[in-house]
Amino acid sequence: MRVSLILLFVSFRSISGFSQEAEEKKWSSDFSLELEVENQYFSNKGAYANQLQNFLSGAIKPKYNLQSADGKHLFKVELFFRSSLNDPNRTHFDVREAYYRYNKKSWSVSVGFKKVFWGVTESNHLVDVINQADQVESFDGEEKLGQPMVQFNYPTKIGDFEFYYLPAARRRQFPSDKGRYRFPVAIAREDIPFVNDLKEWHPSFAVRWSKSFGNVDTGLSHFYGVSRDPLYLGFNPATGLDLSYPVINQSGLNLQYTKDAWQFKLESIYRTTERQSFVAAVAGFEYTFGNIRSSGVDLGVVSEYLYDSRGLLTFSGLDDDVFIGARIALNDVKSTELLMGGIVDRTKGTQLYRMEGSRRLGEAWKVAVMANLLNEVSPKEILSNFRTDNLIQLRVSRFF
Amino acid sequence: MKITNAKLLSLNVFLLFTLFAMAQDKGLEIAKKSKEWDEGFESAQTDLKMILTNKQGQTSINLLSNKTLEVKGDGDKSIVEFNSPKDVKGTKTLTYTHKKSDDDQWIFLPSIARVKRISSTNKSGPFMGSEFAFEDLSSFEVEKFTYKFIEETTINGTRMAVVEMYPTDVKSGYSKKVGYFNLDKNFRFEKIEYFDRKNTKLKTLEYEGYKQYASKFWRADKLAMTNHQNGKKTDLVFTNYKFKVGLSDKDLTEESLKN
């Protein structure tokens, strides 16, 4: 947090320092803001003491861009603040992005907090390893914390190269004892130790190569440094869950083949640490039925198989699972969308279901509903800690 | 006598085929000229305002901006950025149009900083709930149609060539389009009529407020699309047209979407 505030301050100073030049050099800037109210309702009582059933919160998401007319200089700031009336750990502030990017003809460099996404699959993001998950914001790990970095992009004829220096690692936050999706003993952020001498200041490095060959998109990546997701080595009667942030080496591959309405996707990683090494993969397809009966409606069908050689020690629980999902877009003026999906463990039988719907109201409002259901959770699975946590969530946003 | 009849018949058939082939050639010739006049712009950018009007007369507005790079020997590359509605602000699409194969297309989702390759086969679907289908907005490529010249006519004192255009792509939502090319002004489009797969008239697109840029390229200030079947209308209003803006291949890549 200390780092984030300093960097934020520095980038704001740089922006105000440039404001005078703005008129002469024709800088263009842009500010936007989202205000959101959210209610989460869990239909069952919690499995553990103190857990609540209803959670009300609000979020503020401002964004600011400043760009020079020649496209050489770019400043970008995106902040996030959520205040929860019910779970103190969900009340949190984050610098999602606050960086300066310098673009040259043949390369570019970014310095500051940034979000980086790698990968192609839908149900699990194995290759994506740069940012820590904002676990209290979303249980599925889709939301990310900003990552301080120096990023160097070098596009060439033989593909795009990205190099990363990541000076610090960030810990994952978990719900408080009042919250849901938690373990029997609520984990505090500081409970999970870094396994290295420099703690969060242990630097990480990453490199990625990506290239499109017509219908085929490929990417190869390697990450060395502090693991973003905790290493989980089972239950220890003395200390509870055996969790830590070790130093890891992770190699990743992503592949996508797009032909007509078909997309075939593959992601795979190999990760080694001192105490564990494993391989994991996601492979599947997506098929889109476009403009069904000239109604404008699109239906996308997705299916993926998820594998992780850690088995029961897979922290996400996705070790031998099949995902089936559907995406419906009405393509209407209100951008109405519906997503449905289920993940079923092939051997243990655990089922996870998700439904999401969203629609614009008027020009500047949006309403989004989501339901998360767990069914027949095997007691062997780490997910069994959340067996009573069926969620219905409503979000209403106003955009400025 | 019978032989003569047969000869006459075959001569007629031959004439018909010749006329048909001539109509094809003439149609193709016009389409080619229209495209040729538009070549050499190198790169261009513009802001767009999309005004959607439903049957009851209620309107909603989308704001977009577009960058296009001309590619020699193939279709153009372009980036469309969404500025309004605000909930999709910052979303961008990148399209590599191809003359003969399917286009390559990517979408950038700013909330998760993800660039996603998407299938480009859904050409007939509506763009952002408007009366423009994706295929109506992609760059005009001669190779994507076969042609039939219908007639030369004068509308409001302007000489126009009426040409039927048949999409070669089976995934197109149209059986044919009827193009009105202005013979006095570099073969620019003045009007296009769209016929659905049942060969019923579906939409009419009218080009309004033409201006000439870089003393060569004609661009309309407004494209007005009327759907005759559902009574809806979409106006596409262009502002800030700029030509030869110095874009290169590196400005239209997956990486460039993230900035």
Side-chain angles (χ1 to χ4, degrees):
Chain A
M1 193 46 71
R2 188 167 54 94
V3 199
S4 55
L5 283 174
I6 291 170
L7 250 151
L8 181 66
F9 179 66
V10 170
S11 44
F12 271 137
R13 280 227 358 207
S14 332
I15 290 163
S16 57
F18 271 99
S19 64
Q20 218 169 3
E21 279 172 278
E23 269 141 45
E24 300 152 28
K25 279 195 172 180
K26 287 190 189 164
W27 294 73
S28 60
S29 70
D30 188 65
F31 177 76
S32 60
L33 176 68
E34 179 186 349
L35 300 179
E36 176 214 289
V37 175
E38 175 202 86
N39 195 71
Q40 295 188 322
Y41 175 73
F42 291 85
S43 55
N44 297 318
K45 282 216 159 66
Y48 315 114
N50 300 331
Q51 284 187 308
L52 301 174
Q53 268 183 275
N54 200 71
F55 299 83
L56 184 63
S57 71
I60 303 171
K61 306 170 190 177
K63 275 187 199 178
Y64 180 77
N65 277 334
L66 180 70
Q67 198 159 12
S68 66
D70 58 10
K72 271 190 180 162
H73 308 276
L74 170 74
F75 295 93
K76 212 167 181 179
V77 180
E78 184 184 335
L79 306 178
F80 177 90
F81 177 68
R82 180 175 297 282
S83 177
S84 170
L85 290 179
N86 313 97
D87 180 355
N89 281 14
R90 237 184 141 229
T91 296
H92 65 298
F93 168 75
D94 187 44
V95 180
R96 292 286 197 247
E97 295 202 299
Y99 68 89
Y100 165 68
R101 179 173 170 125
Y102 180 63
N103 286 312
K104 276 292 252 187
K105 258 217 150 66
S106 56
W107 54 269
S108 64
V109 64
S110 303
V111 182
F113 281 70
K114 213 172 172 182
K115 287 188 284 190
V116 171
F117 183 91
W118 294 347
V120 290
T121 53
E122 300 302 314
S123 55
N124 201 2
H125 307 307
L126 295 169
V127 170
D128 188 34
V129 75
I130 298 290
N131 295 72
Q132 178 59 278
D134 188 345
Q135 190 78 32
V136 287
E137 185 56 18
S138 81
F139 158 68
D140 60 10
E142 287 277 325
E143 286 278 339
K144 301 288 183 187
L145 298 175
Q147 169 66 43
M149 67 177 72
V150 178
Q151 178 196 37
F152 183 74
N153 285 293
Y154 186 57
T156 70
K157 283 210 172 96
I158 54 159
D160 292 355
F161 292 89
E162 301 158 47
F163 302 91
Y164 296 83
Y165 164 62
L166 311 160
R170 303 187 63 188
R171 283 184 158 109
R172 194 173 287 196
Q173 177 65 295
F174 294 90
S176 74
D177 66 334
K178 289 177 181 166
R180 307 298 286 257
Y181 298 124
R182 75 162 170 91
F183 301 98
V185 179
I187 299 171
R189 179 165 38 200
E190 287 70 25
D191 285 351
I192 304 178
F194 288 107
V195 192
N196 75 72
D197 294 340
L198 298 166
K199 307 297 175 200
E200 59 260 63
W201 296 106
H202 188 288
S204 302
F205 300 91
V207 56
R208 183 165 188 259
W209 165 84
S210 58
K211 183 159 173 59
S212 294
F213 301 92
N215 290 333
V216 181
D217 298 284
T218 56
L220 286 171
S221 55
H222 190 83
F223 174 92
Y224 161 79
V226 180
S227 181
R228 271 46 176 153
D229 52 334
L231 170 68
Y232 167 58
L233 288 173
F235 185 76
N236 180 329
T239 54
L241 296 174
D242 182 353
L243 293 168
S244 60
Y245 295 111
V247 172
I248 64 165
N249 270 290
Q250 173 171 319
S251 301
L253 159 77
N254 64 267
L255 258 180
Q256 180 172 334
Y257 175 68
T258 309
K259 183 70 190 162
D260 298 329
W262 289 97
Q263 297 179 34
F264 297 94
K265 300 172 175 188
L266 169 74
E267 275 189 36
S268 183
I269 57 165
Y270 175 63
R271 184 188 293 182
T272 56
T273 70
E274 232 172 72
R275 296 167 74 192
Q276 184 194 56
S277 33
F278 68 93
V279 288
V282 188
F285 71 87
E286 183 166 345
Y287 186 87
T288 309
F289 299 90
N291 195 17
I292 297 168
R293 288 165 176 264
S294 301
S295 60
V297 177
D298 293 343
L299 167 67
V301 181
V302 191
S303 185
E304 289 173 348
Y305 173 69
L306 301 91
Y307 172 77
D308 196 307
S309 70
R310 289 174 291 182
L312 286 169
L313 294 180
T314 308
F315 195 50
S316 65
L318 304 169
D319 63 322
D320 181 16
D321 293 58
V322 173
F323 165 72
I324 296 173
R327 186 198 330 264
I328 298 168
L330 297 193
N331 293 314
D332 57 347
V333 178
K334 303 293 174 203
S335 300
T336 312
E337 278 184 9
L338 196 63
L339 291 164
M340 286 167 292
I343 297 181
V344 180
D345 192 292
R346 282 206 321 136
T347 50
K348 298 180 283 296
T350 305
Q351 299 156 25
L352 253 165
Y353 296 102
R354 159 77 64 95
M355 206 200 78
E356 284 176 62
S358 68
R359 179 163 220 240
R360 186 160 45 245
L361 296 175
E363 299 260 303
W365 293 82
K366 189 179 173 181
V367 58
V369 288
M370 183 189 68
N372 246 338
L373 307 171
L374 286 131
N375 192 27
E376 294 187 24
V377 187
S378 159
K380 287 189 241 166
E381 294 232 45
I382 192 165
L383 286 170
S384 68
N385 290 293
F386 317 137
R387 62 194 174 275
T388 63
D389 297 343
N390 287 339
L391 163 69
I392 299 166
Q393 174 182 294
L394 173 72
R395 282 181 175 177
V396 179
S397 297
R398 168 82 163 99
F399 297 85
F400 297 91
Chain B
M1 266 324 209
K2 271 186 179 170
I3 297 163
T4 329
N5 270 344
K7 269 187 180 167
L8 258 174
L9 187 70
S10 69
L11 187 69
N12 273 334
V13 170
F14 175 74
L15 263 170
L16 260 169
F17 269 115
T18 315
L19 280 171
F20 177 70
M22 277 168 70
Q24 264 192 321
D25 286 350
K26 196 166 180 191
L28 177 66
E29 208 52 41
I30 289 162
K32 272 186 180 165
K33 277 184 183 152
S34 181
K35 182 71 187 172
E36 270 164 28
W37 269 107
D38 213 41
E39 275 168 6
F41 68 86
E42 293 167 13
S43 59
Q45 63 185 51
T46 181
D47 294 329
L48 295 89
K49 186 180 188 177
M50 204 171 222
I51 306 160
L52 289 70
T53 311
N54 69 9
K55 235 183 187 167
Q56 289 74 38
Q58 294 164 315
T59 59
S60 56
I61 288 170
N62 301 328
L63 297 177
L64 312 158
S65 63
N66 176 269
K67 284 180 195 169
T68 305
L69 175 73
E70 192 176 18
V71 179
K72 291 218 166 70
D74 203 356
D76 298 340
K77 294 182 178 181
S78 68
I79 287 179
V80 173
E81 182 171 356
F82 300 73
N83 295 314
S84 174
K86 297 240 169 70
D87 60 296
V88 293
K89 190 183 166 83
T91 305
K92 295 176 202 173
T93 59
L94 169 68
T95 308
Y96 291 178
T97 316
H98 297 303
K99 289 185 173 183
K100 286 185 180 143
S101 55
D102 276 335
D103 299 347
D104 299 327
Q105 199 161 50
W106 295 264
I107 187 165
F108 173 68
L109 307 163
S111 61
I112 49 172
R114 178 176 181 180
V115 175
K116 221 173 137 175
R117 174 83 174 251
I118 52 175
S119 161
S120 67
T121 51
N122 181 19
K123 297 178 166 72
S124 61
F127 178 79
M128 292 186 89
S130 76
E131 297 314 307
F132 285 88
F134 287 93
E135 62 185 313
D136 305 340
L137 295 166
S138 67
S139 69
F140 173 64
E141 304 298 339
V142 174
E143 292 80 355
K144 293 200 163 180
F145 301 90
T146 57
Y147 301 88
K148 187 179 165 191
F149 174 78
I150 301 298
E151 59 172 347
E152 205 179 295
T153 179
T154 305
I155 301 173
N156 299 329
T158 309
R159 282 196 315 131
M160 285 199 233
V162 184
V163 178
E164 290 189 347
M165 305 158 66
Y166 304 93
T168 51
D169 190 339
V170 289
K171 283 160 273 175
S172 167
Y174 310 119
S175 58
K176 70 171 178 199
K177 303 206 275 189
V178 180
Y180 292 73
F181 295 86
N182 189 325
L183 294 173
D184 300 322
K185 295 280 192 308
N186 300 1
F187 297 85
R188 68 186 194 197
F189 279 109
E190 294 292 340
K191 188 164 89 168
I192 301 175
E193 290 163 347
Y194 298 82
F195 290 78
D196 66 16
R197 282 286 175 193
K198 291 173 198 138
N199 218 10
T200 312
K201 193 171 175 185
L202 177 63
K203 303 186 289 193
T204 301
L205 175 66
E206 282 165 300
Y207 293 73
E208 297 170 19
Y210 262 113
K211 285 193 190 112
Q212 200 171 22
Y213 295 87
S215 52
K216 185 177 178 193
F217 313 107
W218 287 99
R219 289 289 183 278
D221 282 345
K222 186 170 150 187
L223 267 58
M225 182 76 92
T226 309
N227 187 318
H228 306 293
Q229 292 182 7
N230 65 17
K232 292 182 192 172
K233 207 178 166 255
T234 301
D235 287 346
L236 205 50
V237 179
F238 297 84
T239 49
N240 300 326
Y241 253 122
K242 283 179 195 137
F243 284 81
K244 302 195 178 181
V245 286
L247 295 176
S248 71
D249 276 326
K250 276 173 186 150
D251 298 306
L252 292 104
T253 62
E254 287 177 66
E255 175 60 28
S256 70
L257 286 180
K258 298 174 198 165
N259 295 302

